[in-house]
Amino acid sequence: VQLQASGGGLVQPGGSLRLSCLDSGVFFSNNAVGWYRQGPGKQRELVASITSGGSTNYADSVKGRFTISRDNNKNTVYLQMNNLKPEDTAVYYCNTNGFSLLPPDEYGSWGQGTQVTVSS
């Protein structure tokens, strides 16, 4: 597995966190990358994505609060999460299928996710 997520933690409602996704692959700049999350008792879902050209998309539940970005010099994609809510509590993962993304249940492998807990 070539992508590893980090940066999670415990934060109060309304707080912020920035997650990082490091890609150890050679062709990072050509890849689309997605941030996914799996909350307690829920299916894994796509939260945000960014293409090789920098186009972004967000799930409705995080629009206006989360921002995805990439630094090709560092082989890293970031997820800035602001105004966090308890329902954002989940394990967050990143993944890629090269130029495009797959539905969450179609990936063959996942890296270690990072736990985000939003609680007072």
Side-chain angles (χ1 to χ4, degrees), residues 76-92:
T76 300
V77 169
Y78 302 99
L79 186 67
Q80 177 66 45
M81 305 186 296
N82 298 328
N83 190 23
L84 283 160
K85 304 176 180 181
E87 52 263 42
D88 295 318
T89 295
V91 179
Y92 284 71

Side-chain angles (χ1 to χ4, degrees), residues 27-86:
F27 302 108
F28 171 77
S29 62
N30 295 335
N31 291 346
V33 176
W35 276 103
Y36 301 80
R37 69 184 180 187
Q38 187 166 19
K42 298 180 181 180
Q43 291 188 330
R44 197 169 300 184
E45 62 175 349
L46 178 64
V47 173
S49 64
I50 187 166
T51 68
S52 59
S55 296
T56 60
N57 274 292
Y58 300 91
D60 287 344
S61 59
V62 306
K63 279 181 182 177
R65 300 188 298 121
F66 290 11
T67 303
I68 189 171
S69 61
R70 66 190 300 155
D71 184 340
N72 289 338
N73 291 325
K74 297 182 178 179
N75 275 28
T76 300
V77 169
Y78 302 99
L79 186 67
Q80 177 66 45
M81 305 186 296
N82 298 328
N83 190 23
L84 283 160
K85 304 176 180 181

Side-chain angles (χ1 to χ4, degrees), residues 13-31:
S16 298
L17 282 174
R18 188 178 79 158
L19 306 183
S20 298
C21 172
L22 177 63
D23 187 343
S24 60
V26 177
F27 302 108
F28 171 77
S29 62
N30 295 335
N31 291 346

